[in-house]
Amino acid sequence: MSISALVRPRPVHRAADLLAAYLPGSLYFSSPRGTLLADGVHARVRAGGGAQALAAAEALDAAATAGVPEPVVAGAVGFNPAAETGLVVPSVVRRADAPAGVRAPEAESGTSWTITPRPESARYAESVRRALELIGRGDLRKVVLARGLELTADAPVWVPALLARLVRADPAAYAFAVDVTAPGDPAPRTLVGASPELLVSRRGATVVANPLAGSAPRSGDDALDRERVARLRESAKDLGEHAHTAAQVAEVLGRFCADLDVPSGPEVIGTPTMWHLSTRITGRLADPTDPVCSALGLAEALHPTPAVCGVPAPGALAAITDLEPQARGYYAGMVGWTGLDGDGEWAVTIRSAEVCDRTVRLFAGAGIVAGSDPAAELAETGAKFRTLLRALGVEDMA
């Protein structure tokens, strides 16, 4: 028998099958580019001070030497790049080429929930007013302020069903479920969500980023939504907020790219719950072999963007620390994967939640700039909560 006859063909998976196979502790990531499901941990990626890309490159090389087939680094990085991380080289990775089209289970009926806002609505509005004072003094041009909801169910939350509902509701989203269990957690903790925002992707020498900033709630009424889209396209406040973000993303990618294409103005994209100003930026890397030009290296250079932090970044970070009552954890961080060749995808962890046993903790943020209205920003965060609340069957609780 020849050696070639002993080589098994590569398994072919369907995206819907990979979604159905997800279990807590696995790592799931899907996008319009494809679906990845990973199980087991071959190695953990440890790096301090935000030096994730080089540590990931070393871990991938070591895994390839150890015989791991087509190794990837996958997982999540928190809002503070030097703090929470959950990056691993999985033992087994399965892929499919298309997003999952699967019938999702209905939200659990009869579940009883309690909800605790963090902070209360009045305190969040006061934080927006304080941020506007900083902007008025010239200390900041933009800061993104988030508020949280903590939901507690009368029974453990089944993450696979929640993930399936999120994928079903928006197949074009960057959907994910990542084990982020930390010491002291009473049960496994999962970061799960369906983000509309691509931080960066890389395929060969081609990179793409798609920052979103400037938003309006989706109403479900066609005529009203057309009006909201038209107002969003003409809103000086939203266009200014978006310009801050797109310019920063283009400036960072420009450090690594020989060519960069930045559209002259944003488009409007829609999710099931929101309208967003969107700019799709593409580039060609000057040196794709440099580890800092891997998908993770580029994501690390971009994170956190003004879409989740502010301008200038140091002042915005200080304001977020001062004005937000609790740490964001993995909210507004990044989630995704990078392969041995440097290719990969990383999304911004918005429209996300951390699920631990019966508790679901979620955040939503709004960009505060000159002209922002506290009541409107509060309403915007409420609309952004709807993605997760709808999947949980508690949409009216925001």
Side-chain angles (χ1 to χ4, degrees):
M1 182 180 293
S2 68
I3 293 177
S4 61
L6 297 174
V7 178
R8 294 180 178 180
R10 177 182 295 183
V12 176
H13 303 288
R14 296 188 309 166
D17 293 336
L18 294 187
L19 177 59
Y22 169 80
L23 289 172
S26 303
L27 185 149
Y28 177 92
F29 184 89
S30 67
S31 75
R33 177 168 164 177
T35 300
L36 178 151
L37 179 64
D39 293 290
V41 177
H42 172 78
R44 297 190 181 276
V45 178
R46 307 289 190 189
Q52 304 292 336
L54 296 180
E58 293 175 359
L60 287 167
D61 286 339
T65 301
V68 176
E70 300 183 6
V72 301
V73 163
V77 175
F79 174 68
N80 182 342
E84 304 89 351
T85 61
L87 299 179
V88 302
V89 179
S91 301
V92 178
V93 174
R94 290 162 282 173
R95 298 174 185 268
D97 290 335
V102 63
R103 186 178 184 278
E106 297 297 323
E108 293 88 345
S109 60
T111 301
S112 176
W113 296 87
T114 60
I115 182 168
T116 304
R118 302 186 185 277
E120 296 285 349
S121 298
R123 183 175 171 187
Y124 179 78
E126 177 58 27
S127 295
V128 173
R129 283 188 283 271
R130 290 174 60 190
L132 287 169
E133 290 175 2
L134 295 174
I135 292 169
R137 292 204 307 259
D139 298 343
L140 298 172
R141 283 180 283 163
K142 173 184 177 180
V143 62
V144 178
L145 291 183
R147 66 183 180 105
L149 297 177
E150 186 170 295
L151 285 76
T152 304
D154 58 358
V157 178
W158 184 231
V159 174
L162 174 59
L163 174 64
R165 289 192 291 271
L166 289 168
V167 173
R168 173 63 175 169
D170 189 0
Y174 298 85
F176 50 88
V178 182
D179 186 344
V180 292
T181 306
D185 281 337
R189 181 178 298 274
T190 304
L191 174 71
V192 60
S195 174
E197 185 165 5
L198 173 66
L199 181 60
V200 68
S201 72
R202 175 186 141 164
R203 182 175 287 176
T206 301
V207 296
V208 179
N210 194 180
L212 309 180
S215 307
R218 192 164 191 156
S219 72
D221 177 89
D222 288 345
L224 181 55
D225 279 331
R226 283 194 294 271
E227 292 178 9
R228 290 183 177 181
V229 168
R231 286 199 300 268
L232 190 58
R233 291 183 190 278
E234 298 174 359
S235 167
K237 177 258 184 188
D238 290 292
L239 289 169
E241 178 186 346
H242 186 86
H244 289 317
T245 300
Q248 177 68 13
V249 170
E251 190 277 325
V252 172
L253 288 183
R255 303 172 198 167
F256 305 96
C257 290
D259 299 301
L260 198 66
D261 180 25
V262 183
S264 58
E267 308 225 349
V268 175
I269 65 167
T271 73
T273 60
M274 298 294 296
W275 299 106
H276 296 286
L277 291 177
S278 162
T279 295
R280 186 176 176 86
I281 300 169
T282 58
R284 183 173 59 84
L285 292 171
D287 183 7
T289 64
D290 189 335
V292 300
C293 290
S294 69
L296 178 56
L298 296 170
E300 194 172 15
L302 288 164
H303 174 62
T305 73
V308 295
C309 182
V311 181
L317 282 167
I320 288 168
T321 301
D322 180 49
L323 297 175
E324 293 185 8
Q326 61 181 337
R328 293 181 177 185
Y330 285 93
Y331 167 73
M334 59 188 193
V335 60
W337 63 274
T338 294
L340 184 63
D341 58 3
D343 286 2
E345 289 185 292
W346 293 86
V348 182
T349 49
I350 54 176
R351 313 298 189 274
S352 64
E354 292 182 23
V355 180
C356 184
D357 193 35
R358 298 185 300 115
T359 301
V360 181
R361 187 178 74 160
L362 55 155
F363 291 87
I368 313 305
V369 295
S372 289
D373 173 67
E377 305 303 342
L378 179 67
E380 180 177 321
T381 59
K384 290 174 177 176
F385 280 133
R386 285 164 51 202
T387 296
L388 266 296
L389 294 178
R390 182 177 291 177
L392 291 165
V394 289
E395 185 177 357
D396 294 335
M397 297 181 69

